[in-house]
Amino acid sequence: MSVEHASMRIIDGYARGDTDLAADEVWALEAHLEACRVCRDRLSTAVTAQAPAVAALVGTVWADLEPQLAGTAPMPRRRHWSARLSRWLTPTMVPWLAMVVGVTLLALLLDLADTGSGEVSLVLLLAPVLPVLGVAASWSRGLDPAYELTASAPRAGLYLVLRRTASVLGVVVPALLVGGWVTGVMVAQWLLPCLAFTATTLALGGVVGVTRAAAWLAAVWAAVVVAPTLATSRTTFALQTGGLPAWGLILALGIGVVIARRGAYSVLGAHR
Amino acid sequence: MTIGKEHHMRSAVSAADIAPTAYAWEIRATGLKVRVGRKRMAVDGLDLSLGTGVHGLLGPNGAGKTTLIRALATVLRPAEGSLELLGESVGGMGELRALRRQIGYLPQEFGYYKRFTVREFVEYMAWLKEVPKADIPAAVQRAVERVGLADRADDKMKVLSGGMVRRVGIAQAIVNDPTILLLDEPTAGLDPAQRLRFRELLQELGTDTCVVVSTHLVEDVAAACTDVVLFAEGRLVFQGPPDELASVGGPEHVGDSPLERGYSALLQGPKQGKGTW
């Protein structure tokens, strides 16, 4: 596409301050100048050639401004990588995610060493609740100092919650994949409960606050699944392949509730 | 005419700038009730209309100022009554994205990330407020300059003084050029010189913005506000220019300035005598 530029007649007239330029021409020229570097350069040459008085005035103003400008630091061109990352994770989430990954590795080590827990895989046992901790950290009043500002922003709400949840899963799932692959647990066996727990946390979080929902769910998981499993050294029904349809149903229900109550994430309640 | 083709041209004045407004008041509340916790109504049947200008929201501690500001910032939803912001009704559970883009909000407890620089933090807020990507650097620079932090823009937040952090809070509130600006106790932590400069900024903003400043400092109101909203126990006690509030008070009322005497005249019921809190 070839861009049309302003004619020399208009630019020269504008530089001289001619009164015979129509108002709409002046307006259109100024709008064009804002966006067009070529024409700004042509105007600057025209001013030097046609209107020495204006050029002198500009020179004086510039001379006055220069010392002030020298005192102002120029804007850095490069963005810090942490600023980009903050669109996915709040800085306060980073230590939590590190902890989650650390716990995964620890469970994996214990599995490989095969101490105490018998036939039960610790990775499988912990996988469903690990991302829940990360999700809680992503949307909580206690852990995110800027929670009230975040909740009041236009971008707050389901979109931001999902974005942060996705980044939590993006870190946790690969770690669990490695763990599952090493210990030989089927992917669906832990991935489905893991996603179901995340969706349920968000769904409950819309009502009672994400942090509180995460704490409740983690407690329920510990009491109903982890404790009996460790006591009997047998994988409970919930984590065997027979339990998968139930987890699928919970996941679907959780997603449904989250979508139906999406407005709840843009008020202060979901931050409790 | 050989000036650029229309689709290439960027006009200096956008259609949105010259569109007529479709509302009479920027903020309009009718019978507004906002619940805090399970039982307490912190705002209890408020009728209020606010237009362009600087409105000082005055009231004793616990009067419901913060709750009202939060409701105006749309982070608390009204329990009863109606609240219209820029002609749009706020209620139910919608996300209100378009409306929120035109609101600037400084909460009472302004939380921030210590590792961010001032510029990074204001940029992050501009992103959260959906400022167009191309406009963010300029908008951030302008906001930071307006609060006088241009020379500290690339310092980390953790090395700033309390007053400077407060100014970053004001910068993030104005970065999206809001039509409604809500400031909850913005002068806390500012020294006297900074307060004076802040009042100037308020007056400047008040020419084309509906600014609501909650404060318990009567002198802030006297100096910078075009309008006083006196608020107690969740209800409107008085609304009008500062002079009118001053004229209510007589020599028998507690206070060091006419405005303070007017304030105590309106808030002191017949039961409450001097010496009680």
Side-chain angles (χ1 to χ4, degrees), chain A residues 12-20:
Chain A
D12 284 345
Y14 186 72
R16 281 191 306 267
D18 279 359
T19 45
D20 60 329

Side-chain angles (χ1 to χ4, degrees), chain B:
Chain B
M1 281 287 290
T2 52
I3 295 183
K5 290 175 184 167
E6 203 175 15
H7 62 264
H8 178 72
M9 286 227 335
R10 195 179 60 167
S11 97
V13 182
S14 76
D17 288 335
I18 50 174
T21 51
Y23 46 85
W25 303 97
E26 269 79 356
I27 296 172
R28 187 175 167 78
T30 336
L32 180 69
K33 291 189 179 183
V34 186
R35 191 177 279 123
V36 169
R38 290 261 158 72
K39 282 180 269 176
R40 212 170 79 82
M41 283 288 182
V43 176
D44 197 4
L46 175 73
D47 295 298
L48 187 66
S49 300
L50 300 176
T52 308
V54 184
H55 309 279
L57 187 58
L58 266 180
N61 288 330
K65 298 192 294 278
T66 294
T67 307
L68 175 61
I69 295 246
R70 279 180 172 164
L72 295 179
T74 71
V75 291
L76 288 180
R77 295 293 153 87
E80 267 177 63
S82 81
L83 176 62
E84 273 179 39
L85 301 175
L86 306 176
E88 202 177 315
S89 172
V90 180
M93 295 306 274
E95 287 197 357
L96 308 166
R97 290 176 84 139
L99 174 62
R100 282 183 171 195
R101 272 183 220 130
Q102 300 187 65
I103 298 179
Y105 174 43
L106 172 66
Q108 191 169 22
E109 292 160 40
F110 167 59
Y112 55 93
Y113 303 125
K114 292 192 175 69
R115 286 156 185 256
F116 276 33
T117 65
V118 172
R119 191 188 304 283
E120 277 168 358
F121 185 77
V122 181
E123 254 172 13
Y124 174 60
M125 286 313 299
W127 175 78
L128 275 180
K129 292 176 174 205
E130 299 183 329
V131 176
K133 204 177 170 196
D135 301 342
I136 287 182
V140 169
Q141 184 68 28
R142 199 169 60 243
V144 169
E145 276 172 12
R146 282 183 101 169
V147 297
L149 282 176
D151 51 337
R152 305 297 298 268
D154 294 299
D155 287 2
K156 298 240 183 209
M157 299 275 284
K158 62 181 165 196
V159 302
L160 299 184
S161 70
M164 285 178 180
V165 166
R166 212 69 202 154
R167 277 144 78 194
V168 176
I170 298 164
Q172 67 78 24
I174 59 176
V175 72
N176 54 335
D177 286 325
T179 319
I180 295 179
L181 180 59
L182 308 164
L183 305 169
D184 201 349
E185 304 277 353
T187 49
L190 296 188
D191 66 32
Q194 289 169 346
R195 284 240 297 279
L196 290 179
R197 179 65 201 95
F198 172 70
R199 288 174 192 165
E200 277 171 37
L201 177 63
L202 271 189
Q203 280 161 346
E204 198 182 302
L205 289 165
T207 54
D208 60 350
T209 311
C210 171
V211 188
V212 181
V213 193
S214 131
T215 181
H216 50 244
L217 295 173
V218 178
E219 66 260 44
D220 278 347
V221 172
C225 297
T226 52
D227 189 38
V228 187
V229 176
L230 190 58
F231 196 56
E233 286 160 11
R235 287 197 182 83
L236 185 69
V237 177
F238 169 87
Q239 182 182 8
D243 303 339
E244 206 176 302
L245 176 60
S247 67
V248 178
E252 74 276 18
H253 296 108
V254 193
D256 298 328
S257 66
L259 213 56
E260 277 183 357
R261 284 190 281 275
Y263 175 87
S264 36
L266 283 170
L267 285 186
Q268 230 165 38
K271 285 172 285 178
Q272 197 176 12
K274 285 184 187 181
T276 56
W277 285 86

